[in-house]
Amino acid sequence: IGIVLGSIIPIILNSQAKLLSHLGFAVFSCSVLAIIGLSVNYFAAKSKHATSKTSRSNGFIFGCTISILCGLTTAGQNITLSLASNIHVMALNSGLSSLTASSIIWPIFFSAAAVPFVLFMLYQNIKNKSLHNFIQPATLIYYFYIVLMSFLWV
């Protein structure tokens, strides 16, 4: 889903003239192949899940739902990057330096990327009843390291 939407939507938004070119044909062809591949994987996983004796009935549907959510948010990342040139120009026009203007998209980009991962992490920790592990005295130093790494990255 992320590949298909993240490739097609930016072409539609930014360069509609390329839709009928070789590039447009390549994007649509690859998108069709991706959809075929996803469909084959879906039916193979569904078949395996149906024959599994230890599986729960709602686990497969939940897994597919999470996968779709991840695909949609990945498409959001691609669309965000395709629209980033406008944000870069606006940042330059507002007086920011070139380096700062080129970095302005990353907080938006990484926030979009974090949504499915944080949701899945919370789901897994609630399911496994392991959220309490994040506040153990031995792990509190890791929060300091997180803050330190974020400052060093900037």
Side-chain angles (χ1 to χ4, degrees):
I1 294 172
I3 294 169
V4 174
L5 294 177
S7 300
I8 292 175
I9 291 176
I11 289 178
I12 292 171
L13 292 177
N14 297 331
S15 51
Q16 295 173 354
K18 292 182 181 179
L19 283 174
L20 300 176
S21 70
H22 293 298
L23 174 66
F25 177 75
V27 168
F28 281 108
S29 299
C30 291
S31 297
V32 168
L33 288 175
I35 290 170
I36 291 170
L38 286 171
S39 299
V40 168
N41 283 326
Y42 168 78
F43 289 113
K46 186 176 179 182
S47 173
K48 181 179 178 184
H49 182 78
T51 61
S52 175
K53 292 182 171 67
T54 60
S55 63
R56 293 178 298 165
S57 62
N58 63 348
F60 181 73
I61 293 171
F62 180 76
C64 287
T65 304
I66 291 292
S67 297
I68 289 169
L69 177 64
C70 289
L72 291 173
T73 55
T74 301
Q77 294 173 30
N78 291 348
I79 294 165
T80 301
L81 284 178
S82 75
L83 300 174
S85 62
N86 294 339
I87 295 172
H88 180 78
V89 170
M90 289 186 321
L92 286 173
N93 290 340
S94 69
L96 293 176
S97 70
S98 179
L99 179 63
T100 305
S102 64
S103 301
I104 201 93
I105 189 61
W106 293 112
I108 300 167
F109 182 80
F110 287 130
S111 296
V115 170
F117 296 108
V118 168
L119 289 175
F120 187 70
M121 183 269 310
L122 286 173
Y123 166 75
Q124 287 293 327
N125 279 286
I126 290 169
K127 182 179 93 172
N128 296 327
K129 297 181 173 110
S130 58
L131 277 173
H132 67 279
N133 291 336
F134 287 96
I135 55 171
Q136 297 294 321
T139 62
L140 294 179
I141 189 69
Y142 297 143
Y143 294 104
F144 168 73
Y145 291 139
I146 291 169
V147 172
L148 178 64
M149 285 189 308
S150 67
F151 280 112
L152 293 175
W153 185 77
V154 174

